[in-house]
Amino acid sequence: MPGEAGKFRVLPFLLAFAPVVLLLLLNPNLREKSENVVVVYVAHDQDYSEPILEEFEEKTGIKVLALYDTEATKTVGLVNRIIAERENPQADVFWNNEPMRTIKLKELGLLEAYCSPSAGNIPQNFKDKDCYWAGFAARARVIIYNTNILNDSEAPKSLYDFTDPKFKGKACIANPLLGSTSTHMAALFALLGEEKAKDLLRKMKENGVRIVESNSMVRDMVVAGECWFGLTDTDDAFDAIKAGKPVKMVFPDQQTFGTMVFPNTVMLIKGSKHRENAKRLIDFLLSEDVEKKLAETALQIPVRKNIEVPEEMKKLGLDGVRAMNVTWEDVYANLNKSLIFLKGEFLK
Amino acid sequence: MKERIISPALIAVGVLAVMLPPAAFMLRILTNLNPELFALYFNREIICLFLYTSLLASVAGFASTLLGFFVAFSVELLGPGLSSRFKTLFLLPLALPTYLFTFSWLGFLGKRGTLAQFQMPNLPLNIHTPGFLIFIFVISSFPIAMLLCAIGIRNIPSELIEAGRIFSRKNLLKKIILPLLKPYLLASFFVTFFLFFSEYVTPSYLGIRLYQNEIFTQLGAFYNVQGAGILSLPVFSIAIAISSAMLYYFGKRDFCVISGEAKRFTGLRASPEREKIVLPPLLLLAFLCVGVPFFMLLAESELAFAKAASIAKNEILNALALSLLSSFLVTLFAFFTVLFVKNKFYLNLLVVSPFSLPSVLLAISLIHFYQFSFFYGSVLPLIHGFFLKFLPYSILVLVSFSEQVSKSVEEASEIFVRGLGRKISRIFLPLFSKGIAASFFIVFVLSMSEVSVTQLLAPAGFQTLAVKIDILMHYGNYSCVASLLLLLMLLVFIVYYLIEGVKWKR
């Protein structure tokens, strides 16, 4: 009791913490000290990637120590961690959910080339020519709209609909400096040319497009009716559709230049401490079997044309989506230019 | 003799563990700094944004402090039972990340939200405004101010309150309570001001551009740690400036210390008639900061508690273990430091150092600090991260208890109690017990909802409850998220009552 001198029993107090310390030390994940492990940093959604990694564990007996990215720190999470750890890398493999930051890591010299035999039949535009990374199981950029507010015929079908005065202040996009939205903007710069892309974005801004934190936030805003429609990724839109929310998705610009289709990417980290296990995991992730599973569970589009897509995917039109005709090198070359414009003008 | 060894040892640990990682990081930034680079980041627009954010942070800090004081003072007017229940209730918002308040309020006030469904679709409320951001921040952070002010009120000598009541009942607040609480009010302002500066998710969700978002843009869009470090310099400077001003203002005494004796009751209790005046605003506040999030979460949860608990079983255990251990270490270090290190300048530095960098940069500084050591890849850097991030709260709370040990008790202990261990266990620990409990609880609650440091420092294969909740929210798995958040609130309640139940035998 404050203000009263008395006897404090230190021992029981300290003993109370013994289980806590034990719990920490005996944590099954931390206890794993053998060499038969592989450390993987995963930017792909945990819901879908965890079962894949568990299957790898079962098949190979190699323990997978995974670290998943979070939405709150996604923009500053794993990629910054890999950069900060460059002198003493902890990750063996990085399973990224898009290609731009992957190319950035390659440029920084943080990746090691590995030509996986599983990547043999992956189309050239979905992998690095020097084997620093390979892509699989793609997502697409979609317009998600609230069906309580817009019917199918009223729903926007193009990025240019974001500039339509009848939708003034009703559309949302995620922060265009971050994540797949930034890649999408850079892709527009690469595809349309700098001036046309800037013009489109200026008009979007004039039409009161709202900027929110992330793609999942775009989805939530549309679900809540705060925005009538928004630009997001297929996985975010699919989560809401699966949950029975009043939303639908549409692939933009299918009659003109198409939408951005971007793959997951996997790469070997330079200085990896478990190289052989890392290579086995990369081979596994790039296998046709994994692409097929990701198509079934996460509705991700296989980059190989020979993989049969599930019925649900066909219903949503994911099998025949028209993709933008750009190379990732072109997109990356435009990334900084687009970021400077977006930061300096679009977001002001 | 032992004291002579302990004090420098504690200072050495403090310098090494608390000040060195951020200082080394800033030094690395400053050594590469040239005027051109400086000019590149600090253009007119950025300076204006910094000033604007400082203004909002000042308003938010002031409002949180005012509300914290109001609640701390009001609950003292109630009977002990009600007072304790209200305090517990108002501590709950600390268990929820600030952005979840935003979601709850979006669900409540949004265009398709609860109120809109009750035929109130045209409420003239725009929630994407700085005013709403401040509102969200204040209702989620005022408990810290409340806790500090409550400690302060308990430290006011009851004779002074009695004297105030006899001679100038009307001026009791103005002439007695507020002047004596000044150090606590300033400490509350200091903490909430910097909390506002470190909050980047909520402004982003509300679409409000603030200075901290510029720092995160450097990291998130450009992967430019140096740029982020350079942009952190004004925050670093402002932390030093405020702390120095406080030191000067209080004549080089610690800014959170006033003398007096803590007691269980303050003598402030109001008559039953006056209690009736105090209750409605407290109930309204409870509705705003606990009721709305609680009921929105309950409605969203679909009562899927068992499913959620089984999904996040390991994460709950990890979070509990990590938070309990961190709270224990932070409180232990803060207790011994406050007890043995009398240098107020050093104590201020311990408080200021972690506040001077955003959490993400603090974590990156620890990666640089640890990455060549044997411990990197273990849970130790993460515990260190929590230690760094939450030590200021613990110091602020415990420092305010340090002068409860009167000189006479100290002298008596010198004469009658042999050995330092006995002195600590028989004299100081019981006297500091409430402060230790408060510090432990506040660090525990904040640790349970921490994400940014965890994400950068957790070893692979280790996930905490807060991270799991964040990931589930991303998938739109709202029922699980809501159920887990309610479980988190329950855990906080349980820990609070366990701490309250610790008995100090006379």
Side-chain angles (χ1 to χ4, degrees):
Chain A
M1 208 174 282
E4 294 171 12
K7 188 179 176 186
F8 174 70
R9 291 182 166 183
V10 182
L11 196 61
F13 191 67
L14 290 176
L15 279 179
F17 282 91
V20 174
V21 177
L22 275 176
L23 198 65
L24 263 178
L25 296 176
L26 299 179
N27 183 306
N29 293 324
L30 300 180
R31 206 175 46 203
E32 189 62 61
K33 288 285 175 199
S34 80
E35 281 304 296
N36 200 25
V37 297
V38 59
V39 178
V40 56
Y41 288 0
V42 187
H44 185 51
D45 290 350
Q46 188 178 356
D47 247 12
Y48 305 122
S49 51
E50 200 168 30
I52 303 275
L53 295 172
E54 280 168 2
E55 192 187 327
F56 174 77
E57 278 188 335
E58 267 173 37
K59 279 189 175 166
T60 60
I62 297 169
K63 172 84 180 164
V64 176
L65 296 179
L67 189 71
Y68 298 94
D69 227 344
T70 64
E71 190 71 358
T73 60
K74 199 153 242 173
T75 54
V76 290
L78 293 180
V79 174
N80 271 306
R81 183 162 172 166
I82 292 170
I83 295 170
E85 289 176 343
R86 64 191 306 164
E87 306 293 338
N88 182 17
Q90 298 298 302
D92 299 308
V93 174
F94 182 31
W95 176 351
N96 196 4
N97 60 359
E98 56 84 53
M100 281 303 97
R101 278 81 205 164
T102 300
I103 300 174
K104 174 84 181 172
L105 291 176
K106 179 191 166 190
E107 200 183 56
L108 289 171
L110 301 179
L111 305 183
E112 187 178 324
Y114 169 57
C115 296
S116 167
S118 303
N121 60 346
I122 289 175
Q124 198 55 53
N125 57 333
F126 285 112
K127 62 186 178 189
D128 181 60
K129 61 179 181 345
D130 301 319
C131 296
Y132 279 98
W133 59 270
F136 63 109
R139 291 177 293 158
R141 297 288 288 168
V142 290
I143 294 173
I144 182 173
Y145 62 94
N146 189 310
T147 51
N148 290 337
I149 302 171
L150 298 169
N151 61 36
D152 290 356
S153 62
E154 293 166 333
K157 292 172 182 64
S158 163
L159 291 184
Y160 284 93
D161 287 330
F162 284 72
T163 67
D164 189 334
K166 74 177 174 200
F167 295 133
K168 193 170 177 71
K170 305 297 180 196
C172 302
I173 63 168
N175 187 337
L177 296 175
L178 310 171
S180 55
T181 312
S182 69
T183 311
H184 197 176
M185 299 299 126
L188 288 172
F189 270 63
L191 187 82
L192 303 175
E194 194 174 332
E195 283 317 308
K196 279 188 181 173
K198 282 181 179 175
D199 187 51
L200 170 64
L201 291 168
R202 281 189 192 112
K203 284 179 178 160
M204 275 190 183
K205 187 186 174 183
E206 280 163 24
N207 208 35
V209 166
R210 283 159 66 179
I211 313 293
V212 298
E213 174 59 15
S214 62
N215 288 312
S216 61
M217 183 69 179
V218 169
R219 172 201 63 203
D220 293 340
M221 296 287 270
V222 174
V223 166
E226 291 284 325
C227 292
W228 291 5
F229 62 93
L231 193 60
T232 186
D233 298 334
T234 36
D235 58 330
D236 294 301
F238 178 56
D239 283 336
I241 293 168
K242 201 168 60 174
K245 303 290 178 188
V247 289
K248 278 187 178 176
M249 64 180 181
V250 61
F251 297 99
D253 302 299
Q254 291 302 288
Q255 306 307 316
T256 52
F257 52 78
T259 190
M260 189 179 79
V261 176
F262 56 105
N264 281 279
T265 49
V266 64
M267 64 220 78
L268 179 65
I269 300 292
K270 193 176 181 179
S272 151
K273 293 185 175 71
H274 312 96
R275 289 179 81 242
E276 290 316 307
N277 291 347
K279 286 177 179 176
R280 286 181 72 181
L281 178 60
I282 290 172
D283 294 344
F284 176 77
L285 291 176
L286 293 175
S287 67
E288 290 187 6
D289 201 32
V290 167
E291 267 215 298
K292 199 173 170 200
K293 281 204 176 73
L294 285 171
E296 284 161 2
T297 56
L299 291 193
Q300 300 209 327
I301 308 158
V303 297
R304 298 171 178 96
K305 294 292 167 211
N306 59 323
I307 292 174
E308 181 65 25
V309 297
E311 276 308 309
E312 199 176 1
M313 213 163 169
K314 287 179 184 166
K315 257 189 256 173
L316 291 166
L318 276 157
D319 56 333
V321 60
R322 179 176 180 170
M324 281 177 173
N325 188 20
V326 283
T327 66
W328 295 115
E329 285 71 24
D330 275 350
V331 178
Y332 186 73
N334 280 279
L335 184 65
N336 217 34
K337 211 187 297 176
S338 65
L339 287 175
I340 289 166
F341 167 76
L342 291 160
K343 187 173 179 299
E345 196 173 322
F346 185 74
L347 291 176
K348 264 191 179 175
Chain B
M1 184 65 191
K2 279 180 186 167
E3 283 96 325
R4 280 187 204 160
I5 303 166
I6 290 173
S7 178
L10 285 167
I11 292 178
V13 172
V15 169
L16 192 70
V18 183
M19 295 172 202
L20 188 61
F25 177 80
M26 288 315 279
L27 199 65
R28 187 189 274 222
I29 299 292
L30 289 170
T31 47
N32 292 319
L33 195 66
N34 61 54
E36 281 171 27
L37 205 59
F38 201 77
L40 185 72
Y41 290 106
F42 292 107
N43 51 42
R44 192 169 164 231
E45 185 207 341
I46 291 289
I47 292 167
C48 288
L49 189 61
F50 176 72
L51 294 174
Y52 175 65
T53 307
S54 304
L55 179 71
L56 290 187
S58 306
V59 174
F62 180 73
S64 299
T65 304
L66 199 66
L67 190 60
F69 166 73
F70 167 76
V71 175
F73 181 72
S74 301
V75 293
E76 289 300 338
L77 298 176
L78 303 172
L82 261 183
S83 164
S84 170
R85 275 182 207 120
F86 266 116
K87 270 188 201 160
T88 316
L89 194 67
F90 287 129
L91 285 171
L92 275 179
L94 289 179
L96 299 177
T98 313
Y99 60 85
L100 278 158
F101 277 88
T102 316
F103 275 114
S104 302
W105 280 89
L106 269 175
F108 187 63
L109 287 179
K111 285 180 184 158
R112 308 268 151 182
T114 311
L115 282 189
Q117 286 169 19
F118 286 104
Q119 310 304 317
M120 285 187 267
N122 296 317
L123 280 172
L125 289 169
N126 178 9
I127 53 180
H128 301 276
T129 58
F132 187 74
L133 171 67
I134 289 173
F135 169 75
I136 290 287
F137 179 81
V138 169
I139 59 167
S140 63
S141 67
F142 83 88
I144 293 173
M146 179 195 80
L147 202 66
L148 284 167
C149 291
I151 293 167
I153 291 172
R154 289 285 164 104
N155 278 347
I156 296 173
S158 49
E159 331 56 281
L160 282 179
I161 291 178
E162 283 305 314
R165 281 191 151 164
I166 293 164
F167 297 112
S168 175
R169 202 181 178 95
K170 279 182 188 168
N171 286 330
L172 177 66
L173 192 67
K174 201 172 145 191
K175 301 264 169 146
I176 306 283
I177 293 174
L178 280 176
L180 286 173
L181 276 188
K182 227 182 264 176
Y184 297 88
L185 294 170
L186 278 168
S188 305
F189 175 79
F190 177 80
V191 172
T192 45
F193 178 90
F194 282 100
L195 272 179
F196 187 88
F197 253 106
S198 64
E199 179 59 57
Y200 73 102
V201 181
T202 307
S204 305
Y205 276 3
L206 293 176
I208 296 163
R209 188 175 169 224
L210 294 181
Y211 187 76
Q212 53 266 43
N213 298 94
E214 286 298 307
I215 298 176
F216 289 102
T217 298
Q218 287 302 324
L219 285 169
F222 300 100
Y223 299 97
N224 181 359
V225 175
Q226 197 192 21
I230 291 171
L231 286 173
S232 299
L233 283 172
V235 186
F236 186 77
S237 315
I238 218 169
I240 300 283
I242 292 182
S243 171
S244 308
M246 282 174 159
L247 268 176
Y248 178 75
Y249 181 70
F250 292 112
K252 294 191 179 174
R253 294 177 60 198
D254 190 279
F255 56 78
C256 206
V257 176
I258 57 168
S259 58
E261 299 221 349
K263 57 221 151 289
R264 203 157 178 80
F265 307 111
T266 56
L268 276 173
R269 189 174 175 183
S271 60
E273 293 75 35
R274 292 201 172 187
E275 269 190 12
K276 282 177 191 162
I277 304 170
V278 173
L279 269 174
L282 285 178
L283 287 171
L284 175 70
L285 190 64
F287 169 74
L288 293 177
C289 71
V290 183
V292 170
F294 180 79
F295 287 113
M296 294 308 290
L297 289 174
L298 198 64
E300 198 69 71
S301 73
E302 297 165 8
L303 306 177
F305 299 112
K307 185 184 158 203
S310 78
I311 287 175
K313 192 173 55 193
N314 286 336
E315 287 79 4
I316 292 172
L317 288 175
N318 286 343
L320 271 176
L322 187 68
S323 302
L324 288 170
L325 190 61
S326 303
S327 319
F328 176 68
L329 291 174
V330 167
T331 306
L332 191 72
F333 178 75
F335 168 67
F336 279 105
T337 301
V338 168
L339 199 59
F340 290 107
V341 184
K342 303 295 179 191
N343 186 324
K344 307 299 180 193
F345 181 71
Y346 167 76
L347 286 177
N348 277 290
L349 274 180
L350 277 187
V351 174
V352 167
S353 299
F355 276 136
S356 58
L357 282 180
S359 302
V360 180
L361 288 179
L362 212 57
I364 290 176
S365 77
L366 282 175
I367 292 178
H368 292 308
F369 186 72
Y370 271 103
Q371 68 173 323
F372 295 110
S373 76
F374 167 77
F375 301 107
Y376 196 60
S378 77
V379 81
L380 186 68
L382 179 59
I383 293 172
H384 191 169
F386 277 31
F387 183 85
L388 249 175
K389 189 170 175 180
F390 301 125
L391 185 66
Y393 303 100
S394 187
I395 298 261
L396 283 170
V397 169
L398 285 167
V399 147
S400 58
F401 277 82
S402 67
E403 293 216 352
Q404 288 178 27
V405 185
S406 67
K407 283 282 169 218
S408 52
V409 173
E410 220 165 331
E411 280 164 13
S413 73
E414 289 290 342
I415 297 163
F416 296 111
V417 187
R418 277 189 194 172
L420 184 63
R422 281 184 161 206
K423 235 196 291 181
I424 291 170
S425 66
R426 295 199 173 178
I427 307 291
F428 297 119
L429 274 173
L431 286 170
F432 274 75
S433 62
K434 285 285 167 189
I436 290 170
S439 154
F440 187 92
F441 179 71
I442 206 166
V443 176
F444 173 80
V445 170
L446 293 170
S447 304
M448 285 296 281
S449 57
E450 211 291 328
V451 173
S452 49
V453 165
T454 311
Q455 184 59 20
L456 280 157
L457 293 173
F462 185 89
Q463 203 169 58
T464 62
L465 181 60
V467 170
K468 185 77 180 177
I469 288 172
D470 192 85
I471 286 171
L472 287 169
M473 197 163 76
H474 168 57
Y475 304 144
N477 194 343
Y478 304 111
S479 64
C480 256
V481 169
S483 303
L484 285 174
L485 282 167
L486 289 169
L487 283 176
L488 182 64
M489 287 168 103
L490 181 71
L491 281 174
V492 168
F493 250 124
I494 291 170
V495 169
Y496 179 82
Y497 279 107
L498 283 176
I499 293 170
E500 275 283 293
V502 173
K503 297 289 178 208
W504 273 265
K505 199 175 174 183
R506 281 182 67 100

